[in-house]
């Protein structure tokens, strides 16, 4: 099971890197004034909106802007923590991964139900959003599995010298 967990962690690591980069540079454009970001990023976002027909990004409905704020203020820091947790083999990684997975899955359920219910979304657009639903499920399930990082370090683990046990 150790190799399987390492594979899952590698897939999650790649997704968390994408989130760590895309959230502040691309998704933040939904919430921040246009002048704060370089023209290159604004042009990239405009190209994506046209190419994929992402009407949520173009129309900025209030629920979607709220979800983007949730992503920026809650999920993005969790993604950064999860990157650190994977690299450092931290024992709390399961907890932060579980929290991220539940939050991501919930947000994607709302977004995908809008996309599919509106009948406006192309298959190309749906295939852009569905992997992030898979990320939410994978992160949720990874949070339920045992921790894979086995550390053999003795840093911080010292014997209790000079302490007497209370009886």
């Amino acid at each position: 099971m150790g190799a399987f967990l390492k594979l899952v962690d590698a897939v999650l690591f790649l997704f968390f890197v994408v989130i760590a980069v895309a959230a502040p540079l691309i998704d933040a454009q939904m919430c921040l004034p246009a002048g704060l970001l370089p023209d290159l990023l604004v042009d990239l976002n405009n190209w994506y909106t046209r190419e994929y027909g992402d009407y949520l990004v173009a129309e900025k409905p209030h629920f979607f802007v709220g979800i983007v704020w949730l992503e920026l203020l809650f999920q993005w820091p969790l993604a950064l923590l999860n990157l650190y947790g994977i690299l450092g083999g931290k024992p709390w990684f399961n907890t932060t991964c579980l929290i991220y997975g539940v939050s991501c899955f919930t947000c994607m359920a709302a977004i995908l139900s809008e996309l599919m219910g509106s009948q406006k979304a192309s298959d190309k657009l749906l295939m852009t959003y569905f992997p992030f639903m898979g990320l939410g499920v994978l992160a949720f399930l990874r949070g339920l599995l045992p921790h894979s990082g086995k550390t053999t370090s003795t840093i911080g683990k010292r014997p209790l010298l000079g302490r007497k046990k209370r009886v």
Side-chain angles (χ1 to χ4, degrees):
M1 182 140 170
F4 176 71
L5 288 179
K6 294 292 184 190
L7 177 64
V8 170
D9 288 351
V11 170
L12 286 173
F13 184 82
L14 291 175
F15 266 110
F16 290 139
V17 167
V18 168
I19 297 299
V21 173
L25 299 179
I26 304 298
D27 296 346
Q29 293 181 40
M30 292 287 297
C31 309
L32 300 175
L36 288 180
L37 295 166
D39 289 339
L40 176 68
L41 293 175
V42 174
D43 292 343
L44 178 64
N45 197 30
N46 291 336
W47 170 84
Y48 162 77
T49 304
R50 282 190 314 275
E51 182 70 23
Y52 288 83
D54 195 337
Y55 69 94
L56 293 175
V57 174
E59 296 173 8
K60 298 182 182 181
H62 295 298
F63 90 94
F64 190 66
V65 173
I67 287 174
V68 171
W69 274 113
L70 176 70
E71 179 184 4
L72 292 172
L73 299 176
F74 183 70
Q75 291 178 357
W76 183 66
L78 276 175
L80 296 177
L81 277 173
N82 284 333
L83 285 170
Y84 177 67
I86 290 171
L87 290 175
K90 300 299 181 185
W92 43 259
F93 170 67
N94 287 28
T95 305
T96 56
C97 200
L98 180 66
I99 294 167
Y100 182 89
V102 170
S103 179
C104 181
F105 179 82
T106 304
C107 290
M108 292 313 300
I111 292 169
L112 287 170
S113 65
E114 163 60 29
L115 291 173
M116 292 187 296
S118 71
Q119 303 293 318
K120 294 183 193 178
S122 66
D123 288 342
K124 188 176 183 180
L125 180 60
L126 289 172
M127 294 312 293
T128 303
Y129 280 96
F130 269 117
F132 293 97
M133 174 68 99
L135 166 67
V137 171
L138 188 62
F140 170 76
L141 293 175
R142 178 60 183 94
L144 297 175
L145 295 174
H147 181 62
S148 66
K150 300 228 188 303
T151 58
T152 57
S153 173
T154 57
I155 297 173
K157 298 176 185 174
R158 58 189 171 125
L160 299 174
L161 295 176
R163 294 184 102 182
K164 295 180 182 181
K165 291 184 181 180
R166 293 185 182 186
V167 182

PDB file of all heavy atoms in Angstrom, residues 19-52:
ATOM      1  N   ILE A  19      -2.829  24.495  -8.291  1.00  0.00           N
ATOM      2  CA  ILE A  19      -3.666  25.384  -7.474  1.00  0.00           C
ATOM      3  C   ILE A  19      -2.816  26.499  -6.875  1.00  0.00           C
ATOM      4  O   ILE A  19      -3.227  27.662  -6.855  1.00  0.00           O
ATOM      5  CB  ILE A  19      -4.372  24.590  -6.351  1.00  0.00           C
ATOM      6  CG1 ILE A  19      -5.329  23.552  -6.932  1.00  0.00           C
ATOM      7  CG2 ILE A  19      -5.093  25.517  -5.391  1.00  0.00           C
ATOM      8  CD1 ILE A  19      -6.438  24.099  -7.777  1.00  0.00           C
ATOM      9  N   ALA A  20      -1.631  26.155  -6.394  1.00  0.00           N
ATOM     10  CA  ALA A  20      -0.766  27.152  -5.756  1.00  0.00           C
ATOM     11  C   ALA A  20      -0.383  28.265  -6.726  1.00  0.00           C
ATOM     12  O   ALA A  20      -0.222  29.418  -6.323  1.00  0.00           O
ATOM     13  CB  ALA A  20       0.492  26.480  -5.200  1.00  0.00           C
ATOM     14  N   VAL A  21      -0.260  27.936  -8.007  1.00  0.00           N
ATOM     15  CA  VAL A  21       0.107  28.936  -9.005  1.00  0.00           C
ATOM     16  C   VAL A  21      -1.120  29.622  -9.590  1.00  0.00           C
ATOM     17  O   VAL A  21      -1.175  30.845  -9.711  1.00  0.00           O
ATOM     18  CB  VAL A  21       0.953  28.281 -10.128  1.00  0.00           C
ATOM     19  CG1 VAL A  21       1.204  29.247 -11.260  1.00  0.00           C
ATOM     20  CG2 VAL A  21       2.262  27.750  -9.561  1.00  0.00           C
ATOM     21  N   ALA A  22      -2.124  28.840  -9.956  1.00  0.00           N
ATOM     22  CA  ALA A  22      -3.280  29.384 -10.675  1.00  0.00           C
ATOM     23  C   ALA A  22      -4.199  30.229  -9.803  1.00  0.00           C
ATOM     24  O   ALA A  22      -4.755  31.224 -10.281  1.00  0.00           O
ATOM     25  CB  ALA A  22      -4.083  28.247 -11.307  1.00  0.00           C
ATOM     26  N   ALA A  23      -4.369  29.863  -8.561  1.00  0.00           N
ATOM     27  CA  ALA A  23      -5.320  30.598  -7.713  1.00  0.00           C
ATOM     28  C   ALA A  23      -4.956  32.076  -7.577  1.00  0.00           C
ATOM     29  O   ALA A  23      -5.793  32.935  -7.861  1.00  0.00           O
ATOM     30  CB  ALA A  23      -5.456  29.935  -6.349  1.00  0.00           C
ATOM     31  N   PRO A  24      -3.734  32.418  -7.196  1.00  0.00           N
ATOM     32  CA  PRO A  24      -3.452  33.855  -7.041  1.00  0.00           C
ATOM     33  C   PRO A  24      -3.251  34.594  -8.373  1.00  0.00           C
ATOM     34  O   PRO A  24      -3.461  35.801  -8.441  1.00  0.00           O
ATOM     35  CB  PRO A  24      -2.174  33.892  -6.208  1.00  0.00           C
ATOM     36  CG  PRO A  24      -1.513  32.592  -6.465  1.00  0.00           C
ATOM     37  CD  PRO A  24      -2.616  31.601  -6.703  1.00  0.00           C
ATOM     38  N   LEU A  25      -2.866  33.879  -9.423  1.00  0.00           N
ATOM     39  CA  LEU A  25      -2.569  34.551 -10.684  1.00  0.00           C
ATOM     40  C   LEU A  25      -3.752  34.606 -11.647  1.00  0.00           C
ATOM     41  O   LEU A  25      -3.913  35.585 -12.377  1.00  0.00           O
ATOM     42  CB  LEU A  25      -1.384  33.878 -11.379  1.00  0.00           C
ATOM     43  CG  LEU A  25      -0.069  33.896 -10.616  1.00  0.00           C
ATOM     44  CD1 LEU A  25       1.009  33.176 -11.400  1.00  0.00           C
ATOM     45  CD2 LEU A  25       0.347  35.317 -10.290  1.00  0.00           C
ATOM     46  N   ILE A  26      -4.564  33.569 -11.662  1.00  0.00           N
ATOM     47  CA  ILE A  26      -5.674  33.489 -12.621  1.00  0.00           C
ATOM     48  C   ILE A  26      -7.018  33.696 -11.931  1.00  0.00           C
ATOM     49  O   ILE A  26      -7.794  34.582 -12.301  1.00  0.00           O
ATOM     50  CB  ILE A  26      -5.657  32.131 -13.362  1.00  0.00           C
ATOM     51  CG1 ILE A  26      -4.311  31.886 -14.049  1.00  0.00           C
ATOM     52  CG2 ILE A  26      -6.814  32.043 -14.352  1.00  0.00           C
ATOM     53  CD1 ILE A  26      -3.940  32.887 -15.114  1.00  0.00           C
ATOM     54  N   ASP A  27      -7.296  32.891 -10.936  1.00  0.00           N
ATOM     55  CA  ASP A  27      -8.611  32.955 -10.280  1.00  0.00           C
ATOM     56  C   ASP A  27      -8.839  34.268  -9.550  1.00  0.00           C
ATOM     57  O   ASP A  27      -9.966  34.739  -9.449  1.00  0.00           O
ATOM     58  CB  ASP A  27      -8.776  31.787  -9.308  1.00  0.00           C
ATOM     59  CG  ASP A  27      -8.772  30.438 -10.018  1.00  0.00           C
ATOM     60  OD1 ASP A  27      -8.912  30.432 -11.260  1.00  0.00           O
ATOM     61  OD2 ASP A  27      -8.642  29.407  -9.348  1.00  0.00           O
ATOM     62  N   ALA A  28      -7.785  34.865  -9.052  1.00  0.00           N
ATOM     63  CA  ALA A  28      -7.920  36.129  -8.318  1.00  0.00           C
ATOM     64  C   ALA A  28      -8.472  37.244  -9.192  1.00  0.00           C
ATOM     65  O   ALA A  28      -9.000  38.236  -8.673  1.00  0.00           O
ATOM     66  CB  ALA A  28      -6.582  36.535  -7.719  1.00  0.00           C
ATOM     67  N   GLN A  29      -8.397  37.087 -10.507  1.00  0.00           N
ATOM     68  CA  GLN A  29      -8.913  38.103 -11.411  1.00  0.00           C
ATOM     69  C   GLN A  29     -10.429  38.250 -11.309  1.00  0.00           C
ATOM     70  O   GLN A  29     -10.975  39.270 -11.718  1.00  0.00           O
ATOM     71  CB  GLN A  29      -8.516  37.784 -12.853  1.00  0.00           C
ATOM     72  CG  GLN A  29      -7.023  37.883 -13.081  1.00  0.00           C
ATOM     73  CD  GLN A  29      -6.626  37.592 -14.504  1.00  0.00           C
ATOM     74  OE1 GLN A  29      -7.299  37.993 -15.440  1.00  0.00           O
ATOM     75  NE2 GLN A  29      -5.517  36.891 -14.672  1.00  0.00           N
ATOM     76  N   MET A  30     -11.090  37.248 -10.747  1.00  0.00           N
ATOM     77  CA  MET A  30     -12.538  37.323 -10.535  1.00  0.00           C
ATOM     78  C   MET A  30     -12.877  38.332  -9.440  1.00  0.00           C
ATOM     79  O   MET A  30     -13.959  38.899  -9.440  1.00  0.00           O
ATOM     80  CB  MET A  30     -13.095  35.956 -10.115  1.00  0.00           C
ATOM     81  CG  MET A  30     -13.043  34.897 -11.166  1.00  0.00           C
ATOM     82  SD  MET A  30     -14.254  35.157 -12.451  1.00  0.00           S
ATOM     83  CE  MET A  30     -15.758  35.026 -11.547  1.00  0.00           C
ATOM     84  N   CYS A  31     -11.971  38.543  -8.519  1.00  0.00           N
ATOM     85  CA  CYS A  31     -12.251  39.334  -7.322  1.00  0.00           C
ATOM     86  C   CYS A  31     -11.502  40.654  -7.266  1.00  0.00           C
ATOM     87  O   CYS A  31     -11.979  41.599  -6.636  1.00  0.00           O
ATOM     88  CB  CYS A  31     -11.882  38.529  -6.078  1.00  0.00           C
ATOM     89  SG  CYS A  31     -12.576  36.881  -6.032  1.00  0.00           S
ATOM     90  N   LEU A  32     -10.341  40.700  -7.853  1.00  0.00           N
ATOM     91  CA  LEU A  32      -9.480  41.881  -7.741  1.00  0.00           C
ATOM     92  C   LEU A  32      -9.670  42.814  -8.931  1.00  0.00           C
ATOM     93  O   LEU A  32     -10.055  42.370 -10.020  1.00  0.00           O
ATOM     94  CB  LEU A  32      -8.019  41.442  -7.665  1.00  0.00           C
ATOM     95  CG  LEU A  32      -7.652  40.536  -6.492  1.00  0.00           C
ATOM     96  CD1 LEU A  32      -6.206  40.092  -6.607  1.00  0.00           C
ATOM     97  CD2 LEU A  32      -7.901  41.223  -5.171  1.00  0.00           C
ATOM     98  N   PRO A  33      -9.383  44.087  -8.760  1.00  0.00           N
ATOM     99  CA  PRO A  33      -9.453  45.028  -9.883  1.00  0.00           C
ATOM    100  C   PRO A  33      -8.473  44.648 -10.998  1.00  0.00           C
ATOM    101  O   PRO A  33      -7.384  44.121 -10.731  1.00  0.00           O
ATOM    102  CB  PRO A  33      -9.050  46.368  -9.265  1.00  0.00           C
ATOM    103  CG  PRO A  33      -9.238  46.195  -7.797  1.00  0.00           C
ATOM    104  CD  PRO A  33      -9.066  44.741  -7.500  1.00  0.00           C
ATOM    105  N   ALA A  34      -8.861  44.915 -12.223  1.00  0.00           N
ATOM    106  CA  ALA A  34      -8.070  44.496 -13.384  1.00  0.00           C
ATOM    107  C   ALA A  34      -6.673  45.107 -13.402  1.00  0.00           C
ATOM    108  O   ALA A  34      -5.740  44.508 -13.917  1.00  0.00           O
ATOM    109  CB  ALA A  34      -8.806  44.856 -14.666  1.00  0.00           C
ATOM    110  N   GLY A  35      -6.489  46.275 -12.854  1.00  0.00           N
ATOM    111  CA  GLY A  35      -5.199  46.943 -12.906  1.00  0.00           C
ATOM    112  C   GLY A  35      -4.131  46.359 -12.004  1.00  0.00           C
ATOM    113  O   GLY A  35      -2.963  46.711 -12.126  1.00  0.00           O
ATOM    114  N   LEU A  36      -4.491  45.476 -11.097  1.00  0.00           N
ATOM    115  CA  LEU A  36      -3.513  44.926 -10.152  1.00  0.00           C
ATOM    116  C   LEU A  36      -2.611  43.855 -10.756  1.00  0.00           C
ATOM    117  O   LEU A  36      -1.527  43.612 -10.243  1.00  0.00           O
ATOM    118  CB  LEU A  36      -4.230  44.332  -8.935  1.00  0.00           C
ATOM    119  CG  LEU A  36      -4.844  45.327  -7.959  1.00  0.00           C
ATOM    120  CD1 LEU A  36      -5.513  44.592  -6.817  1.00  0.00           C
ATOM    121  CD2 LEU A  36      -3.790  46.277  -7.417  1.00  0.00           C
ATOM    122  N   LEU A  37      -3.070  43.213 -11.814  1.00  0.00           N
ATOM    123  CA  LEU A  37      -2.316  42.105 -12.382  1.00  0.00           C
ATOM    124  C   LEU A  37      -1.718  42.507 -13.727  1.00  0.00           C
ATOM    125  O   LEU A  37      -2.259  43.364 -14.432  1.00  0.00           O
ATOM    126  CB  LEU A  37      -3.213  40.878 -12.544  1.00  0.00           C
ATOM    127  CG  LEU A  37      -3.724  40.301 -11.225  1.00  0.00           C
ATOM    128  CD1 LEU A  37      -4.856  39.333 -11.451  1.00  0.00           C
ATOM    129  CD2 LEU A  37      -2.605  39.619 -10.471  1.00  0.00           C
ATOM    130  N   PRO A  38      -0.602  41.887 -14.120  1.00  0.00           N
ATOM    131  CA  PRO A  38       0.025  42.202 -15.409  1.00  0.00           C
ATOM    132  C   PRO A  38      -0.912  41.887 -16.583  1.00  0.00           C
ATOM    133  O   PRO A  38      -1.745  40.982 -16.511  1.00  0.00           O
ATOM    134  CB  PRO A  38       1.255  41.293 -15.449  1.00  0.00           C
ATOM    135  CG  PRO A  38       1.460  40.804 -14.078  1.00  0.00           C
ATOM    136  CD  PRO A  38       0.157  40.885 -13.367  1.00  0.00           C
ATOM    137  N   ASP A  39      -0.737  42.629 -17.664  1.00  0.00           N
ATOM    138  CA  ASP A  39      -1.566  42.443 -18.859  1.00  0.00           C
ATOM    139  C   ASP A  39      -1.465  41.021 -19.401  1.00  0.00           C
ATOM    140  O   ASP A  39      -2.444  40.485 -19.934  1.00  0.00           O
ATOM    141  CB  ASP A  39      -1.160  43.436 -19.947  1.00  0.00           C
ATOM    142  CG  ASP A  39      -1.560  44.856 -19.599  1.00  0.00           C
ATOM    143  OD1 ASP A  39      -2.467  45.036 -18.751  1.00  0.00           O
ATOM    144  OD2 ASP A  39      -0.959  45.791 -20.163  1.00  0.00           O
ATOM    145  N   LEU A  40      -0.304  40.405 -19.274  1.00  0.00           N
ATOM    146  CA  LEU A  40      -0.117  39.042 -19.761  1.00  0.00           C
ATOM    147  C   LEU A  40      -1.108  38.078 -19.095  1.00  0.00           C
ATOM    148  O   LEU A  40      -1.722  37.244 -19.760  1.00  0.00           O
ATOM    149  CB  LEU A  40       1.323  38.579 -19.518  1.00  0.00           C
ATOM    150  CG  LEU A  40       1.630  37.129 -19.888  1.00  0.00           C
ATOM    151  CD1 LEU A  40       1.568  36.954 -21.397  1.00  0.00           C
ATOM    152  CD2 LEU A  40       2.985  36.725 -19.368  1.00  0.00           C
ATOM    153  N   LEU A  41      -1.272  38.207 -17.779  1.00  0.00           N
ATOM    154  CA  LEU A  41      -2.202  37.335 -17.061  1.00  0.00           C
ATOM    155  C   LEU A  41      -3.649  37.639 -17.411  1.00  0.00           C
ATOM    156  O   LEU A  41      -4.470  36.737 -17.534  1.00  0.00           O
ATOM    157  CB  LEU A  41      -1.981  37.455 -15.550  1.00  0.00           C
ATOM    158  CG  LEU A  41      -0.656  36.924 -15.029  1.00  0.00           C
ATOM    159  CD1 LEU A  41      -0.516  37.203 -13.545  1.00  0.00           C
ATOM    160  CD2 LEU A  41      -0.518  35.448 -15.312  1.00  0.00           C
ATOM    161  N   VAL A  42      -3.970  38.909 -17.574  1.00  0.00           N
ATOM    162  CA  VAL A  42      -5.327  39.296 -17.965  1.00  0.00           C
ATOM    163  C   VAL A  42      -5.634  38.760 -19.360  1.00  0.00           C
ATOM    164  O   VAL A  42      -6.718  38.214 -19.608  1.00  0.00           O
ATOM    165  CB  VAL A  42      -5.500  40.827 -17.893  1.00  0.00           C
ATOM    166  CG1 VAL A  42      -6.853  41.252 -18.436  1.00  0.00           C
ATOM    167  CG2 VAL A  42      -5.319  41.305 -16.458  1.00  0.00           C
ATOM    168  N   ASP A  43      -4.671  38.873 -20.277  1.00  0.00           N
ATOM    169  CA  ASP A  43      -4.851  38.349 -21.632  1.00  0.00           C
ATOM    170  C   ASP A  43      -5.007  36.833 -21.629  1.00  0.00           C
ATOM    171  O   ASP A  43      -5.820  36.284 -22.377  1.00  0.00           O
ATOM    172  CB  ASP A  43      -3.673  38.746 -22.526  1.00  0.00           C
ATOM    173  CG  ASP A  43      -3.622  40.239 -22.802  1.00  0.00           C
ATOM    174  OD1 ASP A  43      -4.653  40.923 -22.590  1.00  0.00           O
ATOM    175  OD2 ASP A  43      -2.542  40.721 -23.206  1.00  0.00           O
ATOM    176  N   LEU A  44      -4.233  36.159 -20.790  1.00  0.00           N
ATOM    177  CA  LEU A  44      -4.352  34.702 -20.668  1.00  0.00           C
ATOM    178  C   LEU A  44      -5.744  34.317 -20.177  1.00  0.00           C
ATOM    179  O   LEU A  44      -6.369  33.387 -20.706  1.00  0.00           O
ATOM    180  CB  LEU A  44      -3.284  34.160 -19.719  1.00  0.00           C
ATOM    181  CG  LEU A  44      -3.315  32.655 -19.441  1.00  0.00           C
ATOM    182  CD1 LEU A  44      -3.031  31.874 -20.718  1.00  0.00           C
ATOM    183  CD2 LEU A  44      -2.323  32.296 -18.351  1.00  0.00           C
ATOM    184  N   ASN A  45      -6.252  35.031 -19.201  1.00  0.00           N
ATOM    185  CA  ASN A  45      -7.585  34.755 -18.679  1.00  0.00           C
ATOM    186  C   ASN A  45      -8.661  35.034 -19.733  1.00  0.00           C
ATOM    187  O   ASN A  45      -9.625  34.266 -19.867  1.00  0.00           O
ATOM    188  CB  ASN A  45      -7.839  35.576 -17.416  1.00  0.00           C
ATOM    189  CG  ASN A  45      -8.990  35.050 -16.605  1.00  0.00           C
ATOM    190  OD1 ASN A  45      -9.270  33.854 -16.602  1.00  0.00           O
ATOM    191  ND2 ASN A  45      -9.667  35.939 -15.905  1.00  0.00           N
ATOM    192  N   ASN A  46      -8.503  36.116 -20.482  1.00  0.00           N
ATOM    193  CA  ASN A  46      -9.448  36.435 -21.552  1.00  0.00           C
ATOM    194  C   ASN A  46      -9.414  35.376 -22.653  1.00  0.00           C
ATOM    195  O   ASN A  46     -10.458  34.993 -23.193  1.00  0.00           O
ATOM    196  CB  ASN A  46      -9.166  37.818 -22.135  1.00  0.00           C
ATOM    197  CG  ASN A  46      -9.501  38.920 -21.159  1.00  0.00           C
ATOM    198  OD1 ASN A  46     -10.319  38.749 -20.259  1.00  0.00           O
ATOM    199  ND2 ASN A  46      -8.843  40.061 -21.314  1.00  0.00           N
ATOM    200  N   TRP A  47      -8.227  34.909 -23.000  1.00  0.00           N
ATOM    201  CA  TRP A  47      -8.106  33.845 -24.001  1.00  0.00           C
ATOM    202  C   TRP A  47      -8.825  32.583 -23.523  1.00  0.00           C
ATOM    203  O   TRP A  47      -9.568  31.972 -24.278  1.00  0.00           O
ATOM    204  CB  TRP A  47      -6.634  33.530 -24.275  1.00  0.00           C
ATOM    205  CG  TRP A  47      -6.466  32.293 -25.094  1.00  0.00           C
ATOM    206  CD1 TRP A  47      -6.537  32.197 -26.459  1.00  0.00           C
ATOM    207  CD2 TRP A  47      -6.247  30.966 -24.597  1.00  0.00           C
ATOM    208  NE1 TRP A  47      -6.376  30.881 -26.832  1.00  0.00           N
ATOM    209  CE2 TRP A  47      -6.199  30.106 -25.701  1.00  0.00           C
ATOM    210  CE3 TRP A  47      -6.097  30.429 -23.321  1.00  0.00           C
ATOM    211  CZ2 TRP A  47      -6.003  28.736 -25.579  1.00  0.00           C
ATOM    212  CZ3 TRP A  47      -5.909  29.073 -23.184  1.00  0.00           C
ATOM    213  CH2 TRP A  47      -5.850  28.235 -24.309  1.00  0.00           C
ATOM    214  N   TYR A  48      -8.572  32.190 -22.264  1.00  0.00           N
ATOM    215  CA  TYR A  48      -9.237  31.011 -21.706  1.00  0.00           C
ATOM    216  C   TYR A  48     -10.758  31.158 -21.772  1.00  0.00           C
ATOM    217  O   TYR A  48     -11.462  30.236 -22.169  1.00  0.00           O
ATOM    218  CB  TYR A  48      -8.791  30.775 -20.256  1.00  0.00           C
ATOM    219  CG  TYR A  48      -9.729  29.884 -19.504  1.00  0.00           C
ATOM    220  CD1 TYR A  48      -9.725  28.510 -19.693  1.00  0.00           C
ATOM    221  CD2 TYR A  48     -10.675  30.418 -18.625  1.00  0.00           C
ATOM    222  CE1 TYR A  48     -10.621  27.694 -19.030  1.00  0.00           C
ATOM    223  CE2 TYR A  48     -11.569  29.611 -17.964  1.00  0.00           C
ATOM    224  CZ  TYR A  48     -11.537  28.246 -18.165  1.00  0.00           C
ATOM    225  OH  TYR A  48     -12.445  27.442 -17.520  1.00  0.00           O
ATOM    226  N   THR A  49     -11.262  32.320 -21.394  1.00  0.00           N
ATOM    227  CA  THR A  49     -12.701  32.558 -21.377  1.00  0.00           C
ATOM    228  C   THR A  49     -13.294  32.404 -22.773  1.00  0.00           C
ATOM    229  O   THR A  49     -14.346  31.781 -22.943  1.00  0.00           O
ATOM    230  CB  THR A  49     -13.010  33.959 -20.812  1.00  0.00           C
ATOM    231  OG1 THR A  49     -12.415  34.068 -19.519  1.00  0.00           O
ATOM    232  CG2 THR A  49     -14.499  34.195 -20.694  1.00  0.00           C
ATOM    233  N   ARG A  50     -12.619  32.941 -23.773  1.00  0.00           N
ATOM    234  CA  ARG A  50     -13.097  32.822 -25.162  1.00  0.00           C
ATOM    235  C   ARG A  50     -12.940  31.397 -25.686  1.00  0.00           C
ATOM    236  O   ARG A  50     -13.859  30.843 -26.287  1.00  0.00           O
ATOM    237  CB  ARG A  50     -12.330  33.773 -26.075  1.00  0.00           C
ATOM    238  CG  ARG A  50     -12.756  35.208 -26.004  1.00  0.00           C
ATOM    239  CD  ARG A  50     -12.108  36.039 -27.114  1.00  0.00           C
ATOM    240  NE  ARG A  50     -10.673  35.789 -27.276  1.00  0.00           N
ATOM    241  CZ  ARG A  50      -9.716  36.395 -26.562  1.00  0.00           C
ATOM    242  NH1 ARG A  50     -10.034  37.275 -25.644  1.00  0.00           N
ATOM    243  NH2 ARG A  50      -8.446  36.118 -26.783  1.00  0.00           N
ATOM    244  N   GLU A  51     -11.777  30.808 -25.489  1.00  0.00           N
ATOM    245  CA  GLU A  51     -11.464  29.487 -26.047  1.00  0.00           C
ATOM    246  C   GLU A  51     -12.375  28.397 -25.499  1.00  0.00           C
ATOM    247  O   GLU A  51     -12.820  27.512 -26.223  1.00  0.00           O
ATOM    248  CB  GLU A  51      -9.996  29.150 -25.761  1.00  0.00           C
ATOM    249  CG  GLU A  51      -9.538  27.833 -26.321  1.00  0.00           C
ATOM    250  CD  GLU A  51      -9.435  27.809 -27.842  1.00  0.00           C
ATOM    251  OE1 GLU A  51      -9.289  28.877 -28.463  1.00  0.00           O
ATOM    252  OE2 GLU A  51      -9.503  26.695 -28.401  1.00  0.00           O
ATOM    253  N   TYR A  52     -12.638  28.437 -24.199  1.00  0.00           N
ATOM    254  CA  TYR A  52     -13.426  27.387 -23.560  1.00  0.00           C
ATOM    255  C   TYR A  52     -14.886  27.789 -23.355  1.00  0.00           C
ATOM    256  O   TYR A  52     -15.684  26.989 -22.894  1.00  0.00           O
ATOM    257  CB  TYR A  52     -12.800  26.993 -22.219  1.00  0.00           C
ATOM    258  CG  TYR A  52     -11.520  26.216 -22.413  1.00  0.00           C
ATOM    259  CD1 TYR A  52     -10.319  26.862 -22.640  1.00  0.00           C
ATOM    260  CD2 TYR A  52     -11.523  24.831 -22.403  1.00  0.00           C
ATOM    261  CE1 TYR A  52      -9.151  26.166 -22.839  1.00  0.00           C
ATOM    262  CE2 TYR A  52     -10.364  24.114 -22.606  1.00  0.00           C
ATOM    263  CZ  TYR A  52      -9.180  24.783 -22.819  1.00  0.00           C
ATOM    264  OH  TYR A  52      -8.024  24.076 -23.034  1.00  0.00           O
TER     265      TYR A  52
END
